[in-house]
Amino acid sequence: MALNIFNTLSRKKEEFIPLKRNFAQIYVCGLTVYDFMHIGHARTYLFWDVLRRYLDFKGYDVLVVINNTDIEDKIIARSNELKIDFRLLADFYTEAFYSDLKTLGALPYCITCNATDYIPEMIETIELILKNGFGYEIDGDVFYSVEKFSDYGKLSGFSVDELVAGARVEVNERKRHPADFTLWKSAKPGEPSWDSPWGKGRPGWHIECSTMAYHFFGGTYDIKGGGIDNLFPHHENEIAQTFAAYGIPLAKYFMHPEHLLVDGAKMSKSLGNFITVRELLKDWKPAEVRLYFLQTHYRTQMNFTKEGMNASREALERISHFRSVVLNALKGEKEIGLDIKSLSLLKNDAPIMNLLRKTKESFISAMDDDFNTPRALATLFDFISESYKIGIDGSQDSEELRYAFNEFDRLMSILGLESDLLLTKATFNWENDFSKLVDILLKHRAEARMRRDFKTADLIREMLNQAGLVLEDTASGTRWIIREESR
Ligand code: AMP
Ligand code: ZN
């Protein structure tokens, strides 16, 4: 059966045919690392995790790249506020992001890359854009000239004129056209900066993804992913840059998961509806979080509710109960020897084998239909209720049940609901993860206190508190411990 993906570029479902046979090349836009990941991020990145697991199940070799936006206005603003180096701030939150993803049971990315490690490559891309006549420089700033690219607006469906009328573009008198965007930003005093042919400065946000993707894939790749807010301007601008520099399309398929809202609104600190993954995991298990998100299709907006999480908890309990009933019937021995001989001895017409075949077919057809996880999940719950009807509890210690149960587990793990995650409560492994960074932050805090800069000292305390640490100021210095409920 063929996998169909909704491609934002064509606005329809298309069969997934990778550019290289059996090889799926994916680039997902990463986090701007200036704070802990929130539950909206979790929804998007857990979806990428399922996408990647399913492609793997379909037999593709999957190469998935993610970037860390480690230089950006928000990072500079936060590091100024805390009076710590931007590098330290970015490293701290990058570590926290991958640690949280791991806690949520996501597979590690094949390649992760920091934008600031590829500045020479970005400069090269900008030079190519200029050489090919798609950009211009004014006093140390470099801009992309959108009028030079006739396909500009094809992804978002906006025309250049509409963009200007709708005030969707940044106003800057020095730009030749209001919709032109920044490729290189000249440095303001005191900002982190790098040398370039246009003077000291830093790359614009969009250029990092065009450049790093080209660096790793060497050409057009299969899937470009980013939340719906990345569609415009980020991905539109990436397409324009990659064409201008290398003369090629950026990617074949564009995927844009919809956002998670809280209390029906976009999450923001000022609205008080901002929930980090770390906070969420104090009350809920990672598997409950995953199951919750899976129940809504990725292209449908979702509103986070406690009732929804409660329902997810109950659903997970149903799964766990089913697993223990079956394991009991199998006397705890789950694994079947998957050699040809033992497989050939299975009775294909046994009721549980018929049920398994039906389940797998429906599961695959749901996932093939643009990753319809709510339908896929429903097939697994049907499997559970139908198995009870067949009478799995009690006497049936059969090889067929053993086989069907293994296959059920395999389908569960495509959704990231691996058996060892089901019962796990979140733990944060601070000792291994980033205690060195915590120590550096504490040193900054001590220095701030010495100079009676209590605002900075409090901000650092708050940042570590949110991370699940409690600071204890003693006569011999500050100690930190992991807050009990974060363990
Ligand atoms: P950011 O660093 O916040 O710009 O976002 C990193 C990724 O998370 C991007 O792909 C965003 O589209 C996505 N994202 C941001 N907020 C949400 C949200 N509330 N729900 C789902 N995805 C989000
Ligand atoms: Zn990006």
Side-chain angles (χ1 to χ4, degrees):
M1 276 182 278
L3 167 63
N4 286 284
I5 294 183
F6 184 89
N7 188 353
T8 314
L9 194 59
S10 62
R11 289 165 188 75
K12 55 179 198 278
K13 285 182 199 167
E14 288 175 29
E15 183 177 342
F16 178 64
I17 304 171
L19 294 158
K20 293 183 187 150
R21 202 159 171 264
N22 289 343
F23 189 40
Q25 302 176 93
I26 307 168
Y27 184 106
V28 302
C29 288
L31 211 68
T32 308
V33 279
Y34 72 102
D35 207 339
F36 290 102
M37 78 184 280
H38 59 58
I39 57 174
H41 295 136
R43 182 185 183 202
T44 292
Y45 290 101
L46 288 179
F47 174 68
W48 301 136
D49 187 54
V50 170
L51 172 127
R52 176 255 184 90
R53 286 168 186 262
Y54 190 60
L55 287 170
D56 190 45
F57 168 80
K58 295 285 278 184
Y60 297 104
D61 285 331
V62 185
L63 175 60
V64 49
V65 178
I66 185 172
N67 65 296
N68 311 313
T69 300
D70 62 345
I71 186 73
E72 211 255 346
D73 289 348
K74 292 191 206 88
I75 297 177
I76 296 177
R78 188 94 202 268
S79 64
N80 285 342
E81 203 185 353
L82 293 169
K83 298 197 176 58
I84 55 175
D85 185 61
F86 90 93
R87 184 70 273 143
L88 180 66
L89 183 91
D91 284 350
F92 181 85
Y93 286 116
T94 303
E95 291 271 350
F97 172 55
Y98 292 110
S99 153
D100 291 358
L101 275 184
K102 190 170 160 209
T103 306
L104 287 168
L107 297 174
Y109 281 86
C110 308
I111 295 176
T112 65
C113 43
N114 274 342
T116 55
D117 289 337
Y118 294 88
I119 298 222
E121 288 82 354
M122 291 179 209
I123 291 174
E124 265 174 45
T125 312
I126 299 171
E127 282 181 315
L128 282 172
I129 293 173
L130 290 175
K131 187 172 132 248
N132 296 337
F134 287 83
Y136 55 94
E137 187 228 337
I138 300 180
D139 302 334
D141 287 326
V142 184
F143 297 102
Y144 187 101
S145 184
V146 295
E147 286 171 310
K148 293 278 162 60
F149 181 47
S150 57
D151 274 350
Y152 193 79
K154 207 170 158 195
L155 177 73
S156 58
F158 295 134
S159 73
V160 170
D161 295 338
E162 276 167 349
L163 289 172
V164 178
R168 287 174 180 275
V169 288
E170 183 205 347
V171 182
N172 180 339
E173 279 139 28
R174 295 183 317 138
K175 294 194 288 192
R176 285 187 195 156
H177 188 282
D180 291 352
F181 60 89
T182 306
L183 297 170
W184 185 264
K185 221 175 193 158
S186 57
K188 295 199 190 85
E191 277 185 357
S193 64
W194 288 262
D195 287 328
S196 82
W198 317 286
K200 281 196 175 299
R202 62 186 156 97
W205 169 35
H206 316 298
I207 201 72
E208 70 179 78
C209 292
S210 280
T211 304
M212 291 190 286
Y214 190 76
H215 178 82
F216 290 110
F217 299 123
T220 305
Y221 52 96
D222 296 302
I223 301 177
K224 168 76 185 183
I228 192 75
D229 57 319
N230 287 160
L231 199 166
F232 185 86
H234 189 45
H235 293 173
E236 189 79 67
N237 292 354
E238 276 188 61
I239 293 173
Q241 294 167 154
T242 297
F243 182 79
Y246 313 112
I248 55 166
L250 180 77
K252 191 169 173 191
Y253 305 87
F254 288 79
M255 297 183 74
H256 294 104
E258 275 288 346
H259 271 188
L260 179 74
L261 307 180
V262 177
D263 303 330
K266 193 175 167 214
M267 253 179 285
S268 89
K269 293 220 162 121
S270 55
L271 285 178
N273 64 351
F274 189 93
I275 309 171
T276 63
V277 165
R278 277 162 196 254
E279 275 171 75
L280 188 73
L281 292 179
K282 282 181 203 160
D283 298 325
W284 308 95
K285 291 191 198 120
E288 289 164 349
V289 177
R290 292 191 79 120
L291 195 61
Y292 177 57
F293 291 144
L294 290 167
Q295 286 165 21
T296 305
H297 188 261
Y298 77 93
R299 282 191 294 112
T300 304
Q301 215 177 52
M302 189 175 178
N303 191 32
F304 179 81
T305 62
K306 202 157 170 238
E307 294 73 42
M309 285 301 298
N310 274 325
S312 169
R313 175 163 288 175
E314 277 170 28
L316 192 69
E317 275 161 14
R318 262 186 80 198
I319 297 173
S320 300
H321 180 255
F322 170 70
R323 295 192 85 257
S324 55
V325 168
V326 178
L327 282 170
N328 200 26
L330 297 176
K331 318 234 176 330
E333 286 171 39
K334 176 175 165 279
E335 293 306 323
I336 180 168
L338 278 176
D339 51 276
I340 297 284
K341 188 156 169 277
S342 52
L343 286 180
S344 64
L345 292 177
L346 293 175
K347 290 187 210 79
N348 260 326
D349 55 350
I352 193 80
M353 294 294 275
N354 284 332
L355 175 61
L356 175 69
R357 252 191 314 276
K358 208 176 87 193
T359 304
K360 265 175 134 173
E361 241 169 59
S362 321
F363 181 95
I364 293 170
S365 108
M367 292 297 280
D368 275 349
D369 184 12
D370 192 28
F371 305 94
N372 195 325
T373 57
R375 251 174 58 208
L377 206 54
T379 65
L380 296 184
F381 282 106
D382 286 348
F383 178 82
I384 294 179
S385 32
E386 293 299 316
S387 302
Y388 285 132
K389 283 190 202 149
I390 291 175
I392 46 155
D393 36 353
S395 55
Q396 284 222 5
D397 177 8
S398 68
E399 287 304 294
E400 286 75 24
L401 177 59
R402 200 180 305 277
Y403 176 74
F405 186 58
N406 273 301
E407 289 295 285
F408 170 79
D409 262 4
R410 194 152 78 101
L411 298 180
M412 289 274 288
S413 69
I414 293 171
L415 300 178
L417 297 168
E418 271 157 324
S419 52
D420 50 0
L421 190 82
L422 297 184
L423 302 172
T424 313
K425 183 133 179 23
T427 50
F428 296 99
N429 196 349
W430 283 91
E431 285 87 347
N432 292 339
D433 280 358
F434 39 120
S435 63
K436 244 199 255 136
L437 285 174
V438 174
D439 288 342
I440 299 173
L441 281 172
L442 286 181
K443 192 169 140 266
H444 281 283
R445 180 169 169 269
E447 284 163 6
R449 277 157 60 106
M450 291 271 279
R451 54 173 196 272
R452 305 190 68 73
D453 177 2
F454 296 114
K455 189 167 163 263
T456 303
D458 286 349
L459 278 169
I460 296 177
R461 170 192 282 273
E462 175 59 25
M463 178 175 164
L464 292 171
N465 251 321
Q466 280 179 18
L469 301 188
V470 181
L471 307 190
E472 284 179 356
D473 292 318
T474 67
S476 56
T478 303
R479 291 194 317 128
W480 57 267
I481 51 167
I482 303 166
R483 208 172 30 232
E484 217 19 69
E485 70 263 26
S486 306
R487 277 188 179 274

